Amino acid sequence: GEDVEQSLFLSVREGDSSVINCTYTDSSSTYLYWYKQEPGAGLQLLTYIFSNMDMKQDQRLTVLLNKKDKHLSLRIADTQTGDSAIYFCAESPVGSGNTGKLIFGQGTTLQVKP
Amino acid sequence: EADIYQTPRYLVIGTGKKITLECSQTMGHDKMYWYQQDPGMELHLIHYSYGVNSTEKGDLSSESTVSRIRTEHFPLTLESARPSHTSQYLCATGVRYEQYFGPGTRLTVT
């Protein structure tokens, strides 16, 4: 079945790079996503990558996709205290058809220490 | 990005009450979704809609119901609230391959 797994917690120092990892099971997923959730707020779409791409960079964010291992990562360069949040990985399984349904991981809490 | 509004943001209500959580969007997106986010923070899809007069149940069984009479609104109703319904409810809209989320409603049933 469809499943998305993430580590639950990551702690880094301000200025370091953060790498948040995710594994997924549906190799036919067309798009893979990273969302950010700050306390008391909804989810903010950070970036997404099409399954035929290996890498996507957007300012401080770099997404790497290893389709063979079904592994997705989000690297945040020069991590700031404002990056502290929960980060969700999500996949859009091909079986979702036209619904646009997403399958989410359980979220990784990123703690940035000053 | 879509402008998505959810009201109320916080609601504390007693068991047995009927409640409606409102979700509205201003971008004219056809697809809309309701997710339930449990204390472990994982999100589960409970309802979705392709457009007006279209509603479908999601992956997680829910006692709530939804309606889509207008493109802009996708309200969620619980006829008789129970403590097990305590959760955060997130509404989202979809366009192409992107989903945009509202700020959520945190529901507590006592």
Side-chain angles (χ1 to χ4, degrees), chain B residues 42-84:
Chain B
E42 197 165 350
L43 283 85
H44 298 284
L45 181 68
I46 52 174
H47 298 284
Y48 61 96
S49 168
Y50 293 114
V52 171
N53 294 325
S54 148
T55 61
E56 302 284 345
K57 289 194 177 294
D59 301 321
L60 181 69
S61 175
S62 174
E63 294 165 348
S64 59
T65 58
V66 292
S67 62
R68 190 87 183 276
I69 298 172
R70 293 167 54 184
T71 299
E72 301 81 23
H73 297 299
F74 191 39
L76 180 145
T77 298
L78 278 164
E79 290 293 332
S80 179
R82 296 209 302 264
S84 61

Side-chain angles (χ1 to χ4, degrees), chain A residues 31 33 35 37 40-43 45 48 86 88 98-106, chain B residues 9 31 33 35 37 40-43 45 48 50 59 88 90 97-99 101-103:
Chain A
Y31 285 89
Y33 304 81
Y35 281 86
Q37 186 177 34
L43 274 69
L45 178 60
Y48 60 93
I86 301 173
F88 288 91
N98 192 37
T99 66
K101 285 178 8 179
L102 298 181
I103 307 297
F104 285 87
Q106 64 270 59
Chain B
R9 291 293 316 279
K31 296 176 189 172
Y33 309 85
Y35 290 87
Q37 187 172 28
M41 306 307 282
E42 197 165 350
L43 283 85
L45 181 68
Y48 61 96
Y50 293 114
D59 301 321
Q88 166 129 297
L90 292 166
Y97 300 107
E98 301 170 6
Q99 281 192 26
F101 284 77

